[in-house]
Amino acid sequence: MPVSDLLAKAIRTAAKGSGWSVKRDVLSKRIDDQLLAVHPRRGSVGRIEFRAKPAAWDHMLWSILQIEGNDLQPTSFHFTGAFTCDSPALLQQDLEPSASHEQFAREMVQLAKRIPHMVSLWQEYDLARAIADERPQEPYRYHMTRVVERICCGDRQTASEICDAARQGELDLRGFFSSTDKLTPPDANGRRQSLSFFDLARLWMSRH
């Protein structure tokens, strides 16, 4: 059995009765409109991370990308599914790299059980500050999330400025979503041009 499968199995066992759901190696939970997740850091050994985001961020992302049918997805989908907002780690915990899968899983669940009592950590946190505080720093992961968050907060000016900077090549973009605009008539061949998230966000703001 692959290492990832062994860890996922250990997490499922440790999480029984915890109130957190398990999908692969991710523990997730929804409290009101807040989506919470605890999981191993990708590409790292021995590090556990906690992330959180309002469900409204993903709903806004799907509206911008004109994706339908995701509204009823389970909480885990917001952290494991395609076309979701990335969010910075709000808490990190390091274990010895030699820790067993069972020990790693137990530590994940113990951290998860403390999270609901740490409301000030994850409720209405400052996204820009959390991105700046995360280690290692990877701000390129969050440009789309910053646009979505600013729109949700009613700050369309900043959202537009981020979109324009991205479109003009002024941001470090190592990956972004793209889709077609369903409201644009297709060309003579019945096709629509693929647009970047930042183009689509600009269109969304002009229409709403």
Side-chain angles (χ1 to χ4, degrees), residues 25-27 37-42 47-51 79 104 108:
D25 60 356
V26 177
L27 293 168
V38 174
H39 59 80
R41 179 174 179 81
R42 306 305 174 213
R47 173 165 288 186
I48 299 169
E49 294 188 328
F50 163 64
R51 299 174 187 268
F79 298 99
F104 196 94
M108 279 182 60

Side-chain angles (χ1 to χ4, degrees), residues 11 20 30-31 37 44 46 64 67 71 79 84 87 91-93 99 114 125 127 129 139 148 164 177 200 203-204:
I11 294 170
W20 288 69
R30 180 169 184 152
I31 298 180
S44 180
I64 290 170
I67 294 173
D71 290 356
F79 298 99
T84 58
S87 57
L91 191 64
Q92 297 174 322
Q93 179 177 327
R114 297 198 300 270
Y125 64 89
L127 177 62
R129 179 176 296 177
V148 166
D164 291 344
F177 299 142
L200 291 166
L203 280 174
W204 189 96

Side-chain angles (χ1 to χ4, degrees), residues 18-21 27-31 34-37 75 79 112 116:
S18 68
W20 288 69
S21 61
L27 293 168
S28 62
K29 186 179 185 70
R30 180 169 184 152
I31 298 180
Q34 299 294 317
L35 308 170
L36 316 175
T75 301
F79 298 99

Side-chain angles (χ1 to χ4, degrees), residues 12 36 43 65 70 75 92 116 136 140 165 168 182 198:
R12 286 195 301 272
L36 316 175
L65 295 175
N70 280 350
T75 301
Q92 297 174 322
Y140 56 85
Q168 293 164 14
K182 297 177 183 177
F198 303 100

Side-chain angles (χ1 to χ4, degrees), residues 103-118:
Q103 182 181 353
F104 196 94
R106 286 195 298 270
E107 292 292 337
M108 279 182 60
V109 172
Q110 288 176 13
L111 174 61
K113 288 180 177 180
R114 297 198 300 270
I115 294 301
H117 307 290
M118 305 167 70

